[in-house]
PDB file of all heavy atoms in Angstrom:
ATOM      1  N   GLU A 948       0.819  -1.213   0.000  1.00  0.00           N
ATOM      2  CA  GLU A 948       0.000   0.000   0.000  1.00  0.00           C
ATOM      3  C   GLU A 948       0.858   1.271   0.000  1.00  0.00           C
ATOM      4  O   GLU A 948       0.495   2.277  -0.619  1.00  0.00           O
ATOM      5  CB  GLU A 948      -0.995   0.010   1.164  1.00  0.00           C
ATOM      6  CG  GLU A 948      -0.398  -0.130   2.524  1.00  0.00           C
ATOM      7  CD  GLU A 948      -0.300  -1.571   3.034  1.00  0.00           C
ATOM      8  OE1 GLU A 948      -0.410  -2.523   2.250  1.00  0.00           O
ATOM      9  OE2 GLU A 948      -0.104  -1.724   4.246  1.00  0.00           O
ATOM     10  N   TYR A 949       2.011   1.221   0.658  1.00  0.00           N
ATOM     11  CA  TYR A 949       2.934   2.367   0.640  1.00  0.00           C
ATOM     12  C   TYR A 949       3.481   2.577  -0.772  1.00  0.00           C
ATOM     13  O   TYR A 949       3.564   3.709  -1.254  1.00  0.00           O
ATOM     14  CB  TYR A 949       4.076   2.145   1.634  1.00  0.00           C
ATOM     15  CG  TYR A 949       5.078   3.284   1.623  1.00  0.00           C
ATOM     16  CD1 TYR A 949       4.829   4.442   2.352  1.00  0.00           C
ATOM     17  CD2 TYR A 949       6.241   3.201   0.873  1.00  0.00           C
ATOM     18  CE1 TYR A 949       5.726   5.495   2.338  1.00  0.00           C
ATOM     19  CE2 TYR A 949       7.146   4.247   0.855  1.00  0.00           C
ATOM     20  CZ  TYR A 949       6.888   5.393   1.583  1.00  0.00           C
ATOM     21  OH  TYR A 949       7.779   6.445   1.565  1.00  0.00           O
ATOM     22  N   LYS A 950       3.821   1.494  -1.446  1.00  0.00           N
ATOM     23  CA  LYS A 950       4.320   1.596  -2.820  1.00  0.00           C
ATOM     24  C   LYS A 950       3.265   2.196  -3.740  1.00  0.00           C
ATOM     25  O   LYS A 950       3.568   3.039  -4.585  1.00  0.00           O
ATOM     26  CB  LYS A 950       4.749   0.220  -3.332  1.00  0.00           C
ATOM     27  CG  LYS A 950       5.970  -0.323  -2.643  1.00  0.00           C
ATOM     28  CD  LYS A 950       6.234  -1.739  -3.109  1.00  0.00           C
ATOM     29  CE  LYS A 950       7.212  -2.419  -2.190  1.00  0.00           C
ATOM     30  NZ  LYS A 950       7.399  -3.822  -2.536  1.00  0.00           N
ATOM     31  N   LEU A 951       2.012   1.760  -3.581  1.00  0.00           N
ATOM     32  CA  LEU A 951       0.928   2.296  -4.407  1.00  0.00           C
ATOM     33  C   LEU A 951       0.717   3.785  -4.146  1.00  0.00           C
ATOM     34  O   LEU A 951       0.522   4.564  -5.087  1.00  0.00           O
ATOM     35  CB  LEU A 951      -0.366   1.523  -4.167  1.00  0.00           C
ATOM     36  CG  LEU A 951      -0.389   0.088  -4.687  1.00  0.00           C
ATOM     37  CD1 LEU A 951      -1.648  -0.624  -4.217  1.00  0.00           C
ATOM     38  CD2 LEU A 951      -0.263   0.033  -6.198  1.00  0.00           C
ATOM     39  N   ALA A 952       0.763   4.196  -2.886  1.00  0.00           N
ATOM     40  CA  ALA A 952       0.606   5.616  -2.544  1.00  0.00           C
ATOM     41  C   ALA A 952       1.732   6.439  -3.156  1.00  0.00           C
ATOM     42  O   ALA A 952       1.504   7.540  -3.665  1.00  0.00           O
ATOM     43  CB  ALA A 952       0.567   5.789  -1.025  1.00  0.00           C
ATOM     44  N   THR A 953       2.932   5.892  -3.145  1.00  0.00           N
ATOM     45  CA  THR A 953       4.086   6.585  -3.722  1.00  0.00           C
ATOM     46  C   THR A 953       3.945   6.702  -5.237  1.00  0.00           C
ATOM     47  O   THR A 953       4.188   7.761  -5.814  1.00  0.00           O
ATOM     48  CB  THR A 953       5.390   5.840  -3.357  1.00  0.00           C
ATOM     49  OG1 THR A 953       5.494   5.784  -1.931  1.00  0.00           O
ATOM     50  CG2 THR A 953       6.599   6.531  -3.925  1.00  0.00           C
ATOM     51  N   ILE A 954       3.518   5.628  -5.893  1.00  0.00           N
ATOM     52  CA  ILE A 954       3.287   5.665  -7.347  1.00  0.00           C
ATOM     53  C   ILE A 954       2.185   6.669  -7.664  1.00  0.00           C
ATOM     54  O   ILE A 954       2.287   7.444  -8.607  1.00  0.00           O
ATOM     55  CB  ILE A 954       2.918   4.263  -7.878  1.00  0.00           C
ATOM     56  CG1 ILE A 954       4.128   3.328  -7.794  1.00  0.00           C
ATOM     57  CG2 ILE A 954       2.394   4.343  -9.316  1.00  0.00           C
ATOM     58  CD1 ILE A 954       3.796   1.864  -8.012  1.00  0.00           C
ATOM     59  N   ASN A 955       1.132   6.649  -6.866  1.00  0.00           N
ATOM     60  CA  ASN A 955      -0.011   7.534  -7.083  1.00  0.00           C
ATOM     61  C   ASN A 955       0.403   9.003  -7.046  1.00  0.00           C
ATOM     62  O   ASN A 955      -0.024   9.790  -7.886  1.00  0.00           O
ATOM     63  CB  ASN A 955      -1.085   7.259  -6.030  1.00  0.00           C
ATOM     64  CG  ASN A 955      -2.364   7.997  -6.301  1.00  0.00           C
ATOM     65  OD1 ASN A 955      -3.024   7.757  -7.303  1.00  0.00           O
ATOM     66  ND2 ASN A 955      -2.718   8.901  -5.404  1.00  0.00           N
ATOM     67  N   ALA A 956       1.224   9.364  -6.092  1.00  0.00           N
ATOM     68  CA  ALA A 956       1.603  10.768  -5.906  1.00  0.00           C
ATOM     69  C   ALA A 956       2.950  11.104  -6.526  1.00  0.00           C
ATOM     70  O   ALA A 956       3.313  12.269  -6.602  1.00  0.00           O
ATOM     71  CB  ALA A 956       1.640  11.098  -4.421  1.00  0.00           C
ATOM     72  N   MET A 957       3.686  10.087  -6.939  1.00  0.00           N
ATOM     73  CA  MET A 957       5.031  10.244  -7.491  1.00  0.00           C
ATOM     74  C   MET A 957       5.962  10.949  -6.499  1.00  0.00           C
ATOM     75  O   MET A 957       6.793  11.759  -6.877  1.00  0.00           O
ATOM     76  CB  MET A 957       4.981  10.962  -8.837  1.00  0.00           C
ATOM     77  CG  MET A 957       4.173  10.164  -9.827  1.00  0.00           C
ATOM     78  SD  MET A 957       4.096  10.628 -11.552  1.00  0.00           S
ATOM     79  CE  MET A 957       4.311  12.326 -11.682  1.00  0.00           C
ATOM     80  N   ARG A 958       5.763  10.647  -5.232  1.00  0.00           N
ATOM     81  CA  ARG A 958       6.642  11.144  -4.176  1.00  0.00           C
ATOM     82  C   ARG A 958       6.502  10.228  -2.974  1.00  0.00           C
ATOM     83  O   ARG A 958       5.599   9.410  -2.919  1.00  0.00           O
ATOM     84  CB  ARG A 958       6.295  12.573  -3.790  1.00  0.00           C
ATOM     85  CG  ARG A 958       4.915  12.732  -3.181  1.00  0.00           C
ATOM     86  CD  ARG A 958       4.642  14.167  -2.765  1.00  0.00           C
ATOM     87  NE  ARG A 958       3.274  14.361  -2.338  1.00  0.00           N
ATOM     88  CZ  ARG A 958       2.803  14.041  -1.139  1.00  0.00           C
ATOM     89  NH1 ARG A 958       3.599  13.510  -0.238  1.00  0.00           N
ATOM     90  NH2 ARG A 958       1.545  14.255  -0.820  1.00  0.00           N
ATOM     91  N   GLY A 959       7.385  10.382  -2.025  1.00  0.00           N
ATOM     92  CA  GLY A 959       7.335   9.569  -0.822  1.00  0.00           C
ATOM     93  C   GLY A 959       6.257  10.036   0.140  1.00  0.00           C
ATOM     94  O   GLY A 959       5.745  11.148   0.036  1.00  0.00           O
ATOM     95  N   PHE A 960       5.905   9.177   1.048  1.00  0.00           N
ATOM     96  CA  PHE A 960       4.883   9.444   2.045  1.00  0.00           C
ATOM     97  C   PHE A 960       5.360   8.965   3.402  1.00  0.00           C
ATOM     98  O   PHE A 960       6.188   8.069   3.497  1.00  0.00           O
ATOM     99  CB  PHE A 960       3.605   8.641   1.748  1.00  0.00           C
ATOM    100  CG  PHE A 960       2.693   9.271   0.774  1.00  0.00           C
ATOM    101  CD1 PHE A 960       2.706   8.881  -0.542  1.00  0.00           C
ATOM    102  CD2 PHE A 960       1.807  10.248   1.171  1.00  0.00           C
ATOM    103  CE1 PHE A 960       1.850   9.451  -1.453  1.00  0.00           C
ATOM    104  CE2 PHE A 960       0.944  10.828   0.263  1.00  0.00           C
ATOM    105  CZ  PHE A 960       0.968  10.421  -1.050  1.00  0.00           C
ATOM    106  N   ALA A 961       4.750   9.507   4.433  1.00  0.00           N
ATOM    107  CA  ALA A 961       4.922   8.929   5.759  1.00  0.00           C
ATOM    108  C   ALA A 961       4.153   7.609   5.747  1.00  0.00           C
ATOM    109  O   ALA A 961       3.104   7.503   5.112  1.00  0.00           O
ATOM    110  CB  ALA A 961       4.358   9.865   6.823  1.00  0.00           C
ATOM    111  N   LYS A 962       4.674   6.625   6.424  1.00  0.00           N
ATOM    112  CA  LYS A 962       4.050   5.299   6.406  1.00  0.00           C
ATOM    113  C   LYS A 962       2.640   5.300   7.004  1.00  0.00           C
ATOM    114  O   LYS A 962       1.847   4.421   6.714  1.00  0.00           O
ATOM    115  CB  LYS A 962       4.946   4.303   7.125  1.00  0.00           C
ATOM    116  CG  LYS A 962       6.289   4.150   6.410  1.00  0.00           C
ATOM    117  CD  LYS A 962       6.860   2.802   6.612  1.00  0.00           C
ATOM    118  CE  LYS A 962       8.258   2.666   6.088  1.00  0.00           C
ATOM    119  NZ  LYS A 962       8.500   2.998   4.734  1.00  0.00           N
ATOM    120  N   ASP A 963       2.321   6.326   7.817  1.00  0.00           N
ATOM    121  CA  ASP A 963       0.995   6.399   8.415  1.00  0.00           C
ATOM    122  C   ASP A 963       0.091   7.421   7.718  1.00  0.00           C
ATOM    123  O   ASP A 963      -0.957   7.787   8.230  1.00  0.00           O
ATOM    124  CB  ASP A 963       1.101   6.703   9.911  1.00  0.00           C
ATOM    125  CG  ASP A 963       1.753   8.046  10.200  1.00  0.00           C
ATOM    126  OD1 ASP A 963       2.307   8.668   9.273  1.00  0.00           O
ATOM    127  OD2 ASP A 963       1.701   8.477  11.362  1.00  0.00           O
ATOM    128  N   ASP A 964       0.467   7.853   6.518  1.00  0.00           N
ATOM    129  CA  ASP A 964      -0.336   8.806   5.750  1.00  0.00           C
ATOM    130  C   ASP A 964      -1.693   8.190   5.424  1.00  0.00           C
ATOM    131  O   ASP A 964      -1.810   6.984   5.196  1.00  0.00           O
ATOM    132  CB  ASP A 964       0.404   9.176   4.460  1.00  0.00           C
ATOM    133  CG  ASP A 964      -0.292  10.283   3.701  1.00  0.00           C
ATOM    134  OD1 ASP A 964      -1.209   9.976   2.903  1.00  0.00           O
ATOM    135  OD2 ASP A 964       0.077  11.444   3.914  1.00  0.00           O
ATOM    136  N   ILE A 965      -2.708   9.028   5.351  1.00  0.00           N
ATOM    137  CA  ILE A 965      -4.071   8.563   5.081  1.00  0.00           C
ATOM    138  C   ILE A 965      -4.180   7.876   3.714  1.00  0.00           C
ATOM    139  O   ILE A 965      -4.969   6.947   3.544  1.00  0.00           O
ATOM    140  CB  ILE A 965      -5.087   9.729   5.211  1.00  0.00           C
ATOM    141  CG1 ILE A 965      -6.521   9.217   5.175  1.00  0.00           C
ATOM    142  CG2 ILE A 965      -4.872  10.760   4.118  1.00  0.00           C
ATOM    143  CD1 ILE A 965      -6.949   8.479   6.394  1.00  0.00           C
ATOM    144  N   THR A 966      -3.375   8.298   2.750  1.00  0.00           N
ATOM    145  CA  THR A 966      -3.416   7.677   1.419  1.00  0.00           C
ATOM    146  C   THR A 966      -2.930   6.234   1.492  1.00  0.00           C
ATOM    147  O   THR A 966      -3.473   5.361   0.814  1.00  0.00           O
ATOM    148  CB  THR A 966      -2.572   8.482   0.415  1.00  0.00           C
ATOM    149  OG1 THR A 966      -3.001   9.839   0.444  1.00  0.00           O
ATOM    150  CG2 THR A 966      -2.709   7.945  -0.991  1.00  0.00           C
ATOM    151  N   VAL A 967      -1.932   5.985   2.309  1.00  0.00           N
ATOM    152  CA  VAL A 967      -1.448   4.618   2.489  1.00  0.00           C
ATOM    153  C   VAL A 967      -2.561   3.766   3.091  1.00  0.00           C
ATOM    154  O   VAL A 967      -2.806   2.645   2.636  1.00  0.00           O
ATOM    155  CB  VAL A 967      -0.180   4.591   3.380  1.00  0.00           C
ATOM    156  CG1 VAL A 967       0.271   3.160   3.652  1.00  0.00           C
ATOM    157  CG2 VAL A 967       0.950   5.405   2.744  1.00  0.00           C
ATOM    158  N   ALA A 968      -3.253   4.306   4.068  1.00  0.00           N
ATOM    159  CA  ALA A 968      -4.370   3.579   4.690  1.00  0.00           C
ATOM    160  C   ALA A 968      -5.482   3.320   3.675  1.00  0.00           C
ATOM    161  O   ALA A 968      -6.094   2.243   3.674  1.00  0.00           O
ATOM    162  CB  ALA A 968      -4.910   4.370   5.884  1.00  0.00           C
ATOM    163  N   ARG A 969      -5.740   4.275   2.784  1.00  0.00           N
ATOM    164  CA  ARG A 969      -6.791   4.082   1.775  1.00  0.00           C
ATOM    165  C   ARG A 969      -6.421   2.969   0.812  1.00  0.00           C
ATOM    166  O   ARG A 969      -7.253   2.140   0.471  1.00  0.00           O
ATOM    167  CB  ARG A 969      -7.041   5.390   1.011  1.00  0.00           C
ATOM    168  CG  ARG A 969      -8.160   5.271  -0.003  1.00  0.00           C
ATOM    169  CD  ARG A 969      -9.504   4.979   0.675  1.00  0.00           C
ATOM    170  NE  ARG A 969     -10.505   4.637  -0.319  1.00  0.00           N
ATOM    171  CZ  ARG A 969     -11.365   3.644  -0.218  1.00  0.00           C
ATOM    172  NH1 ARG A 969     -11.390   2.894   0.863  1.00  0.00           N
ATOM    173  NH2 ARG A 969     -12.228   3.389  -1.163  1.00  0.00           N
ATOM    174  N   PHE A 970      -5.153   2.924   0.379  1.00  0.00           N
ATOM    175  CA  PHE A 970      -4.716   1.836  -0.491  1.00  0.00           C
ATOM    176  C   PHE A 970      -4.777   0.496   0.227  1.00  0.00           C
ATOM    177  O   PHE A 970      -5.147  -0.512  -0.368  1.00  0.00           O
ATOM    178  CB  PHE A 970      -3.310   2.089  -1.052  1.00  0.00           C
ATOM    179  CG  PHE A 970      -3.306   2.958  -2.276  1.00  0.00           C
ATOM    180  CD1 PHE A 970      -2.797   4.231  -2.228  1.00  0.00           C
ATOM    181  CD2 PHE A 970      -3.812   2.497  -3.483  1.00  0.00           C
ATOM    182  CE1 PHE A 970      -2.788   5.040  -3.357  1.00  0.00           C
ATOM    183  CE2 PHE A 970      -3.822   3.286  -4.616  1.00  0.00           C
ATOM    184  CZ  PHE A 970      -3.306   4.572  -4.558  1.00  0.00           C
ATOM    185  N   ARG A 971      -4.446   0.470   1.514  1.00  0.00           N
ATOM    186  CA  ARG A 971      -4.544  -0.767   2.297  1.00  0.00           C
ATOM    187  C   ARG A 971      -5.984  -1.270   2.296  1.00  0.00           C
ATOM    188  O   ARG A 971      -6.255  -2.445   2.057  1.00  0.00           O
ATOM    189  CB  ARG A 971      -4.057  -0.543   3.727  1.00  0.00           C
ATOM    190  CG  ARG A 971      -4.095  -1.778   4.608  1.00  0.00           C
ATOM    191  CD  ARG A 971      -3.622  -1.518   6.051  1.00  0.00           C
ATOM    192  NE  ARG A 971      -2.360  -0.807   6.097  1.00  0.00           N
ATOM    193  CZ  ARG A 971      -2.209   0.461   6.520  1.00  0.00           C
ATOM    194  NH1 ARG A 971      -3.253   1.147   6.965  1.00  0.00           N
ATOM    195  NH2 ARG A 971      -1.034   1.035   6.525  1.00  0.00           N
ATOM    196  N   SER A 972      -6.920  -0.357   2.530  1.00  0.00           N
ATOM    197  CA  SER A 972      -8.337  -0.710   2.551  1.00  0.00           C
ATOM    198  C   SER A 972      -8.816  -1.179   1.174  1.00  0.00           C
ATOM    199  O   SER A 972      -9.525  -2.181   1.064  1.00  0.00           O
ATOM    200  CB  SER A 972      -9.160   0.497   3.016  1.00  0.00           C
ATOM    201  OG  SER A 972     -10.531   0.213   2.950  1.00  0.00           O
ATOM    202  N   LEU A 973      -8.418  -0.472   0.124  1.00  0.00           N
ATOM    203  CA  LEU A 973      -8.815  -0.864  -1.229  1.00  0.00           C
ATOM    204  C   LEU A 973      -8.280  -2.240  -1.591  1.00  0.00           C
ATOM    205  O   LEU A 973      -9.008  -3.062  -2.159  1.00  0.00           O
ATOM    206  CB  LEU A 973      -8.315   0.164  -2.252  1.00  0.00           C
ATOM    207  CG  LEU A 973      -9.134   1.435  -2.360  1.00  0.00           C
ATOM    208  CD1 LEU A 973      -8.384   2.489  -3.170  1.00  0.00           C
ATOM    209  CD2 LEU A 973     -10.498   1.150  -2.974  1.00  0.00           C
ATOM    210  N   LEU A 974      -7.027  -2.501  -1.273  1.00  0.00           N
ATOM    211  CA  LEU A 974      -6.451  -3.814  -1.575  1.00  0.00           C
ATOM    212  C   LEU A 974      -7.205  -4.928  -0.850  1.00  0.00           C
ATOM    213  O   LEU A 974      -7.487  -5.974  -1.430  1.00  0.00           O
ATOM    214  CB  LEU A 974      -4.968  -3.854  -1.202  1.00  0.00           C
ATOM    215  CG  LEU A 974      -4.033  -3.094  -2.130  1.00  0.00           C
ATOM    216  CD1 LEU A 974      -2.644  -2.981  -1.513  1.00  0.00           C
ATOM    217  CD2 LEU A 974      -3.967  -3.763  -3.498  1.00  0.00           C
ATOM    218  N   ARG A 975      -7.542  -4.675   0.401  1.00  0.00           N
ATOM    219  CA  ARG A 975      -8.287  -5.671   1.177  1.00  0.00           C
ATOM    220  C   ARG A 975      -9.661  -5.910   0.551  1.00  0.00           C
ATOM    221  O   ARG A 975     -10.065  -7.054   0.321  1.00  0.00           O
ATOM    222  CB  ARG A 975      -8.424  -5.215   2.628  1.00  0.00           C
ATOM    223  CG  ARG A 975      -9.155  -6.207   3.526  1.00  0.00           C
ATOM    224  CD  ARG A 975      -9.395  -5.672   4.940  1.00  0.00           C
ATOM    225  NE  ARG A 975      -9.965  -4.337   4.978  1.00  0.00           N
ATOM    226  CZ  ARG A 975     -11.259  -4.044   4.716  1.00  0.00           C
ATOM    227  NH1 ARG A 975     -12.106  -5.005   4.404  1.00  0.00           N
ATOM    228  NH2 ARG A 975     -11.700  -2.809   4.784  1.00  0.00           N
ATOM    229  N   GLN A 976     -10.369  -4.841   0.248  1.00  0.00           N
ATOM    230  CA  GLN A 976     -11.720  -4.965  -0.309  1.00  0.00           C
ATOM    231  C   GLN A 976     -11.697  -5.616  -1.697  1.00  0.00           C
ATOM    232  O   GLN A 976     -12.513  -6.506  -1.981  1.00  0.00           O
ATOM    233  CB  GLN A 976     -12.373  -3.585  -0.404  1.00  0.00           C
ATOM    234  CG  GLN A 976     -12.686  -2.980   0.955  1.00  0.00           C
ATOM    235  CD  GLN A 976     -13.186  -1.562   0.814  1.00  0.00           C
ATOM    236  OE1 GLN A 976     -14.267  -1.347   0.283  1.00  0.00           O
ATOM    237  NE2 GLN A 976     -12.395  -0.599   1.277  1.00  0.00           N
ATOM    238  N   LEU A 977     -10.785  -5.179  -2.546  1.00  0.00           N
ATOM    239  CA  LEU A 977     -10.723  -5.724  -3.902  1.00  0.00           C
ATOM    240  C   LEU A 977     -10.332  -7.201  -3.898  1.00  0.00           C
ATOM    241  O   LEU A 977     -10.868  -7.989  -4.672  1.00  0.00           O
ATOM    242  CB  LEU A 977      -9.759  -4.901  -4.764  1.00  0.00           C
ATOM    243  CG  LEU A 977     -10.247  -3.495  -5.134  1.00  0.00           C
ATOM    244  CD1 LEU A 977      -9.112  -2.655  -5.703  1.00  0.00           C
ATOM    245  CD2 LEU A 977     -11.428  -3.571  -6.090  1.00  0.00           C
TER     246      LEU A 977
END
């Protein structure tokens, strides 16, 4: 999910960023 958030924004993120959590949730649901 961190990798997806980074690809999405084309920059790094804090590991607890809300976007990382959203990708985690999407991966689980999908």
Side-chain angles (χ1 to χ4, degrees):
E948 57 268 16
Y949 178 82
K950 292 174 195 175
L951 290 172
T953 301
I954 291 168
N955 188 64
M957 299 188 331
R958 64 178 173 80
F960 276 98
K962 297 209 188 305
D963 62 349
D964 187 274
I965 190 72
T966 306
V967 176
R969 183 64 190 136
F970 276 111
R971 181 181 311 111
S972 176
L973 281 168
L974 286 169
R975 182 185 49 76
Q976 291 174 67
L977 289 167

